[in-house]
Amino acid sequence: MIVIKSKQNPIVKQISSLKDKKGRRERGTFLVEGCKMVRECVGSGLEVVLVAVCEGYEGETYSLPTVVLGEDALRAVCDEKTPQGIVAEVKIPQNSLKPPQKSCLFLDGVADPANIGAILRTAAAAGFEEIYLSDCADPYSPKSVRASMSGVFYARLMHGTRDEILQTLSGVPMIAADMDGENIFIFRPPEKFCLCIGNEGNGLSNEVRSRAAFTVGIPMEGRVESLNAAVSAGILMYLLKKGV
């Protein structure tokens, strides 16, 4: 068994490059770290290009191309401070823009990768499989993938400009999330809709806001003026699905 120990090894550099957006774009792959995440990724059916395990790793193994790394080499490829002994290089799905089959999400300028990941996690749990993204943080960054807790493996992510996405969503009632919107607890959504979540600081773009058929908000008490984007998205997703 050959153990790769040098951080300068081409394979180590290849996997390590996936921590950066440039590397992911050039290779068309992303990094998945940890026993549970790799297991769920393999089970999701996504194409795993390569698995790397630490020397002495005793966890699950897969019938996939595998390399063994020394501890220093593994730390070099991992984004997590405490690697769990296994990482995988996974092909990024290429999904073209298509009209949604069910109710969907439009993430309009969500900038924090942790928020993107958390939204994907809740979306998977709430049954929102089709997600459109414009001018957002990379959902395949290590931080976003971790925050998604496997949600990113099951979502159909479609990227485009606002105009392209709005054209694709033509005919689908759009629900804008805004603090000054109609009380979500009494709102009754249409059977099929697109929930639009905006930037953490600036909210939805004017283009998306102007196209929305409805605007909903979460009533708040006390001195709290707003909620985290991912928390708001989660509350809205569940309440809207309940209201259908």
Side-chain angles (χ1 to χ4, degrees):
M1 177 181 65
I2 298 175
V3 179
I4 300 173
K5 297 190 175 183
S6 172
K7 291 186 285 187
Q8 302 305 314
N9 182 278
I11 294 177
V12 173
K13 287 186 174 182
Q14 166 188 309
I15 303 173
S16 182
S17 73
L18 304 180
K19 291 185 285 186
D20 299 320
K21 189 171 184 178
K22 179 182 178 183
R24 293 191 294 274
R25 185 171 60 248
E26 290 178 350
R27 290 193 56 76
T29 56
F30 69 104
L31 187 67
V32 176
E33 302 181 53
C35 306
K36 182 175 183 293
M37 290 287 283
V38 171
R39 180 174 66 251
E40 293 185 352
C41 182
V42 172
S44 75
L46 289 185
E47 182 182 348
V48 179
V49 177
L50 182 70
V51 173
V53 298
C54 187
E55 184 179 13
Y57 176 74
E58 296 180 351
E60 293 177 81
T61 57
Y62 306 91
S63 299
L64 294 164
T66 302
V67 295
V68 181
L69 306 181
E71 288 187 10
D72 288 343
L74 184 74
R75 277 194 291 267
V77 304
C78 289
D79 186 69
E80 293 192 58
K81 292 182 179 180
T82 309
Q84 295 182 33
I86 183 169
V87 300
E89 179 180 3
V90 183
K91 201 79 171 176
I92 296 175
Q94 300 300 311
N95 299 315
S96 58
L97 284 172
K98 291 182 179 179
Q101 299 297 308
K102 303 177 182 178
S103 291
C104 60
L105 291 181
F106 181 3
L107 305 186
D108 178 28
V110 179
D112 186 336
N115 279 338
I116 291 283
I119 291 171
L120 296 184
R121 179 180 184 180
T122 306
F128 288 81
E129 299 172 358
E130 297 160 294
I131 302 174
Y132 300 83
L133 302 95
S134 177
D135 197 26
C136 289
D138 185 0
Y140 294 104
S141 70
K143 189 173 183 180
S144 181
V145 171
R146 278 198 302 275
S148 82
M149 291 298 290
S150 81
V152 69
F153 306 148
Y154 300 100
R156 178 179 172 81
L157 303 182
M158 291 170 277
H159 298 262
T161 66
R162 288 184 180 90
D163 287 343
E164 289 171 339
I165 292 174
L166 289 173
Q167 184 174 355
T168 302
L169 294 172
S170 177
V172 180
M174 299 179 68
I175 301 175
D178 187 272
M179 290 186 297
D180 298 322
E182 181 179 348
N183 186 335
I184 184 62
F185 290 99
I186 60 175
F187 176 74
R188 288 295 174 263
E191 185 175 350
K192 179 180 176 181
F193 58 84
C194 175
L195 173 61
C196 306
I197 306 295
N199 176 268
E200 292 86 347
N202 302 316
L204 289 165
S205 62
N206 291 332
E207 301 97 309
V208 174
R209 193 186 301 273
S210 65
R211 279 285 302 276
F214 310 96
T215 302
V216 297
I218 302 168
M220 284 171 279
E221 300 180 7
R223 299 181 180 180
V224 177
E225 295 183 355
S226 63
L227 293 173
N228 169 273
V231 172
S232 296
I235 293 171
L236 293 172
M237 278 188 270
Y238 272 100
L239 289 176
L240 288 170
K241 274 297 185 76
K242 181 181 178 182
V244 173

